[in-house]
mmCIF file of all heavy atoms in Angstrom:
data_model
loop_
_atom_site.group_PDB
_atom_site.id
_atom_site.type_symbol
_atom_site.label_atom_id
_atom_site.label_comp_id
_atom_site.label_asym_id
_atom_site.label_seq_id
_atom_site.Cartn_x
_atom_site.Cartn_y
_atom_site.Cartn_z
ATOM 1 N N GLU A 81 -6.925 -14.887 -4.156
ATOM 2 C CA GLU A 81 -7.866 -15.897 -4.660
ATOM 3 C C GLU A 81 -8.165 -15.376 -6.101
ATOM 4 O O GLU A 81 -7.742 -14.376 -6.578
ATOM 5 C CB GLU A 81 -9.108 -15.868 -3.806
ATOM 6 C CG GLU A 81 -9.883 -14.480 -3.874
ATOM 7 C CD GLU A 81 -11.107 -14.465 -2.993
ATOM 8 O OE1 GLU A 81 -11.558 -15.480 -2.484
ATOM 9 O OE2 GLU A 81 -11.768 -13.314 -2.949
ATOM 10 N N MET A 82 -8.962 -16.245 -6.727
ATOM 11 C CA MET A 82 -9.501 -15.861 -8.126
ATOM 12 C C MET A 82 -10.747 -14.986 -7.940
ATOM 13 O O MET A 82 -11.615 -15.248 -7.046
ATOM 14 C CB MET A 82 -9.815 -17.093 -8.884
ATOM 15 C CG MET A 82 -8.720 -17.999 -9.225
ATOM 16 S SD MET A 82 -7.577 -17.097 -10.321
ATOM 17 C CE MET A 82 -6.201 -18.284 -10.390
ATOM 18 N N TYR A 83 -10.809 -13.951 -8.827
ATOM 19 C CA TYR A 83 -11.916 -13.031 -8.859
ATOM 20 C C TYR A 83 -12.611 -13.084 -10.221
ATOM 21 O O TYR A 83 -12.005 -13.298 -11.126
ATOM 22 C CB TYR A 83 -11.424 -11.583 -8.585
ATOM 23 C CG TYR A 83 -10.813 -11.408 -7.217
ATOM 24 C CD1 TYR A 83 -9.445 -11.473 -7.065
ATOM 25 C CD2 TYR A 83 -11.633 -11.039 -6.143
ATOM 26 C CE1 TYR A 83 -8.852 -11.244 -5.818
ATOM 27 C CE2 TYR A 83 -11.035 -10.851 -4.825
ATOM 28 C CZ TYR A 83 -9.658 -10.916 -4.748
ATOM 29 O OH TYR A 83 -9.101 -10.679 -3.495
ATOM 30 N N GLU A 84 -13.994 -12.765 -10.111
ATOM 31 C CA GLU A 84 -14.758 -12.857 -11.321
ATOM 32 C C GLU A 84 -14.537 -11.634 -12.269
ATOM 33 O O GLU A 84 -14.780 -11.712 -13.437
ATOM 34 C CB GLU A 84 -16.261 -12.920 -11.028
ATOM 35 C CG GLU A 84 -16.573 -14.187 -10.268
ATOM 36 C CD GLU A 84 -16.366 -15.447 -11.088
ATOM 37 O OE1 GLU A 84 -16.620 -15.383 -12.319
ATOM 38 O OE2 GLU A 84 -16.105 -16.473 -10.508
ATOM 39 N N SER A 85 -14.071 -10.520 -11.660
ATOM 40 C CA SER A 85 -13.867 -9.247 -12.482
ATOM 41 C C SER A 85 -12.636 -8.569 -12.139
ATOM 42 O O SER A 85 -12.073 -8.733 -11.020
ATOM 43 C CB SER A 85 -15.103 -8.374 -12.267
ATOM 44 O OG SER A 85 -15.076 -7.848 -10.972
ATOM 45 N N VAL A 86 -12.247 -7.691 -12.960
ATOM 46 C CA VAL A 86 -11.088 -6.799 -12.795
ATOM 47 C C VAL A 86 -11.384 -5.941 -11.622
ATOM 48 O O VAL A 86 -10.441 -5.748 -10.701
ATOM 49 C CB VAL A 86 -10.782 -5.919 -13.955
ATOM 50 C CG1 VAL A 86 -9.761 -4.827 -13.680
ATOM 51 C CG2 VAL A 86 -10.249 -6.830 -15.159
ATOM 52 N N ALA A 87 -12.556 -5.377 -11.480
ATOM 53 C CA ALA A 87 -12.960 -4.472 -10.339
ATOM 54 C C ALA A 87 -12.817 -5.234 -9.049
ATOM 55 O O ALA A 87 -12.251 -4.699 -8.044
ATOM 56 C CB ALA A 87 -14.345 -3.994 -10.558
ATOM 57 N N ALA A 88 -13.268 -6.514 -8.964
ATOM 58 C CA ALA A 88 -13.166 -7.335 -7.709
ATOM 59 C C ALA A 88 -11.675 -7.513 -7.411
ATOM 60 O O ALA A 88 -11.266 -7.410 -6.196
ATOM 61 C CB ALA A 88 -13.896 -8.591 -7.855
ATOM 62 N N ARG A 89 -10.859 -7.801 -8.347
ATOM 63 C CA ARG A 89 -9.448 -7.999 -8.088
ATOM 64 C C ARG A 89 -8.886 -6.773 -7.558
ATOM 65 O O ARG A 89 -8.129 -6.692 -6.572
ATOM 66 C CB ARG A 89 -8.716 -8.424 -9.358
ATOM 67 C CG ARG A 89 -7.207 -8.676 -9.209
ATOM 68 C CD ARG A 89 -6.393 -8.639 -10.429
ATOM 69 N NE ARG A 89 -6.608 -7.435 -11.206
ATOM 70 C CZ ARG A 89 -6.362 -7.390 -12.530
ATOM 71 N NH1 ARG A 89 -6.059 -8.504 -13.227
ATOM 72 N NH2 ARG A 89 -6.580 -6.254 -13.136
ATOM 73 N N ASP A 90 -9.159 -5.634 -8.193
ATOM 74 C CA ASP A 90 -8.630 -4.330 -7.768
ATOM 75 C C ASP A 90 -9.054 -3.977 -6.292
ATOM 76 O O ASP A 90 -8.334 -3.358 -5.536
ATOM 77 C CB ASP A 90 -8.944 -3.268 -8.767
ATOM 78 C CG ASP A 90 -8.219 -3.447 -10.033
ATOM 79 O OD1 ASP A 90 -7.250 -4.341 -10.202
ATOM 80 O OD2 ASP A 90 -8.515 -2.749 -11.059
ATOM 81 N N ASN A 91 -10.234 -4.302 -5.979
ATOM 82 C CA ASN A 91 -10.798 -4.185 -4.672
ATOM 83 C C ASN A 91 -9.993 -5.071 -3.700
ATOM 84 O O ASN A 91 -9.742 -4.633 -2.532
ATOM 85 C CB ASN A 91 -12.211 -4.494 -4.501
ATOM 86 C CG ASN A 91 -13.102 -3.459 -5.044
ATOM 87 O OD1 ASN A 91 -12.718 -2.316 -5.280
ATOM 88 N ND2 ASN A 91 -14.355 -3.836 -5.414
ATOM 89 N N GLY A 92 -9.569 -6.251 -4.080
ATOM 90 C CA GLY A 92 -8.727 -7.163 -3.275
ATOM 91 C C GLY A 92 -7.348 -6.512 -2.973
ATOM 92 O O GLY A 92 -6.855 -6.557 -1.843
ATOM 93 N N ILE A 93 -6.789 -5.902 -4.005
ATOM 94 C CA ILE A 93 -5.455 -5.242 -3.889
ATOM 95 C C ILE A 93 -5.654 -4.090 -2.905
ATOM 96 O O ILE A 93 -4.802 -3.864 -2.007
ATOM 97 C CB ILE A 93 -5.010 -4.735 -5.201
ATOM 98 C CG1 ILE A 93 -4.506 -5.896 -6.116
ATOM 99 C CG2 ILE A 93 -3.802 -3.688 -5.011
ATOM 100 C CD1 ILE A 93 -4.209 -5.633 -7.515
ATOM 101 N N GLU A 94 -6.688 -3.287 -2.996
ATOM 102 C CA GLU A 94 -7.004 -2.227 -2.117
ATOM 103 C C GLU A 94 -7.086 -2.657 -0.617
ATOM 104 O O GLU A 94 -6.656 -2.020 0.234
ATOM 105 C CB GLU A 94 -8.279 -1.474 -2.570
ATOM 106 C CG GLU A 94 -8.560 -0.114 -1.788
ATOM 107 C CD GLU A 94 -9.772 0.585 -2.387
ATOM 108 O OE1 GLU A 94 -9.886 0.654 -3.617
ATOM 109 O OE2 GLU A 94 -10.546 1.031 -1.598
ATOM 110 N N SER A 95 -7.750 -3.758 -0.527
ATOM 111 C CA SER A 95 -7.937 -4.380 0.871
ATOM 112 C C SER A 95 -6.601 -4.786 1.478
ATOM 113 O O SER A 95 -6.373 -4.502 2.622
ATOM 114 C CB SER A 95 -8.939 -5.570 0.789
ATOM 115 O OG SER A 95 -9.174 -5.967 2.112
ATOM 116 N N VAL A 96 -5.741 -5.349 0.679
ATOM 117 C CA VAL A 96 -4.439 -5.727 1.155
ATOM 118 C C VAL A 96 -3.672 -4.494 1.550
ATOM 119 O O VAL A 96 -3.069 -4.458 2.637
ATOM 120 C CB VAL A 96 -3.585 -6.513 0.093
ATOM 121 C CG1 VAL A 96 -2.190 -6.687 0.489
ATOM 122 C CG2 VAL A 96 -4.318 -7.911 -0.113
ATOM 123 N N THR A 97 -3.629 -3.495 0.673
ATOM 124 C CA THR A 97 -2.951 -2.250 0.982
ATOM 125 C C THR A 97 -3.434 -1.574 2.304
ATOM 126 O O THR A 97 -2.649 -1.094 3.103
ATOM 127 C CB THR A 97 -3.206 -1.251 -0.237
ATOM 128 O OG1 THR A 97 -2.585 -1.885 -1.358
ATOM 129 C CG2 THR A 97 -2.475 0.091 0.039
ATOM 130 N N LYS A 98 -4.787 -1.659 2.536
ATOM 131 C CA LYS A 98 -5.353 -1.088 3.725
ATOM 132 C C LYS A 98 -5.108 -1.935 4.995
ATOM 133 O O LYS A 98 -4.756 -1.316 6.034
ATOM 134 C CB LYS A 98 -6.893 -0.905 3.438
ATOM 135 C CG LYS A 98 -7.631 -0.227 4.632
ATOM 136 C CD LYS A 98 -9.053 -0.003 4.266
ATOM 137 C CE LYS A 98 -9.777 -1.170 4.739
ATOM 138 N NZ LYS A 98 -11.253 -1.003 4.537
ATOM 139 N N ASN A 99 -5.267 -3.212 4.841
ATOM 140 C CA ASN A 99 -5.201 -4.039 6.043
ATOM 141 C C ASN A 99 -3.836 -4.486 6.446
ATOM 142 O O ASN A 99 -3.539 -4.704 7.662
ATOM 143 C CB ASN A 99 -6.061 -5.288 5.860
ATOM 144 C CG ASN A 99 -7.513 -5.100 5.897
ATOM 145 O OD1 ASN A 99 -8.078 -4.889 6.935
ATOM 146 N ND2 ASN A 99 -8.162 -4.938 4.704
ATOM 147 N N ALA A 100 -2.875 -4.666 5.515
ATOM 148 C CA ALA A 100 -1.591 -5.297 5.910
ATOM 149 C C ALA A 100 -0.734 -4.550 6.954
ATOM 150 O O ALA A 100 -0.175 -5.125 7.849
ATOM 151 C CB ALA A 100 -0.777 -5.570 4.674
ATOM 152 N N PRO A 101 -0.586 -3.174 6.773
ATOM 153 C CA PRO A 101 0.280 -2.528 7.628
ATOM 154 C C PRO A 101 0.165 -2.712 9.142
ATOM 155 O O PRO A 101 1.006 -2.851 9.930
ATOM 156 C CB PRO A 101 0.198 -1.037 7.234
ATOM 157 C CG PRO A 101 -0.314 -1.116 5.847
ATOM 158 C CD PRO A 101 -1.189 -2.274 5.836
ATOM 159 N N ASP A 102 -1.099 -2.661 9.584
ATOM 160 C CA ASP A 102 -1.431 -2.651 10.943
ATOM 161 C C ASP A 102 -2.141 -4.002 11.427
ATOM 162 O O ASP A 102 -2.735 -3.969 12.540
ATOM 163 C CB ASP A 102 -2.279 -1.382 11.325
ATOM 164 C CG ASP A 102 -1.598 -0.167 10.948
ATOM 165 O OD1 ASP A 102 -0.453 -0.116 11.195
ATOM 166 O OD2 ASP A 102 -2.267 0.722 10.372
ATOM 167 N N ALA A 103 -2.146 -4.927 10.602
ATOM 168 C CA ALA A 103 -2.888 -6.205 10.918
ATOM 169 C C ALA A 103 -2.366 -6.908 12.145
ATOM 170 O O ALA A 103 -1.167 -6.845 12.340
ATOM 171 C CB ALA A 103 -2.853 -7.210 9.720
ATOM 172 N N ASP A 104 -3.202 -7.394 12.888
ATOM 173 C CA ASP A 104 -2.843 -8.277 14.119
ATOM 174 C C ASP A 104 -2.130 -9.463 13.590
ATOM 175 O O ASP A 104 -2.277 -9.909 12.487
ATOM 176 C CB ASP A 104 -4.012 -8.680 14.853
ATOM 177 C CG ASP A 104 -4.723 -7.463 15.673
ATOM 178 O OD1 ASP A 104 -4.002 -6.575 15.900
ATOM 179 O OD2 ASP A 104 -5.904 -7.655 15.982
ATOM 180 N N LEU A 105 -1.379 -10.122 14.453
ATOM 181 C CA LEU A 105 -0.696 -11.369 14.194
ATOM 182 C C LEU A 105 -1.204 -12.437 15.125
ATOM 183 O O LEU A 105 -1.093 -12.238 16.327
ATOM 184 C CB LEU A 105 0.885 -11.228 14.287
ATOM 185 C CG LEU A 105 1.696 -12.402 14.049
ATOM 186 C CD1 LEU A 105 1.406 -12.971 12.563
ATOM 187 C CD2 LEU A 105 3.180 -12.154 14.164
ATOM 188 N N LYS A 106 -1.741 -13.536 14.550
ATOM 189 C CA LYS A 106 -2.282 -14.723 15.346
ATOM 190 C C LYS A 106 -1.619 -15.879 14.865
ATOM 191 O O LYS A 106 -1.199 -15.956 13.698
ATOM 192 C CB LYS A 106 -3.785 -14.652 15.296
ATOM 193 C CG LYS A 106 -4.445 -13.470 15.987
ATOM 194 C CD LYS A 106 -5.972 -13.632 16.061
ATOM 195 C CE LYS A 106 -6.492 -12.360 16.663
ATOM 196 N NZ LYS A 106 -7.944 -12.320 16.707
#
Side-chain angles (χ1 to χ4, degrees):
E81 65 180 353
M82 293 292 175
Y83 295 97
E84 295 294 328
S85 69
V86 168
R89 178 196 58 205
D90 291 349
N91 286 342
I93 291 171
E94 187 177 316
S95 185
V96 170
T97 300
K98 184 176 92 177
N99 284 284
D102 302 317
D104 290 337
L105 178 58
K106 296 185 179 177

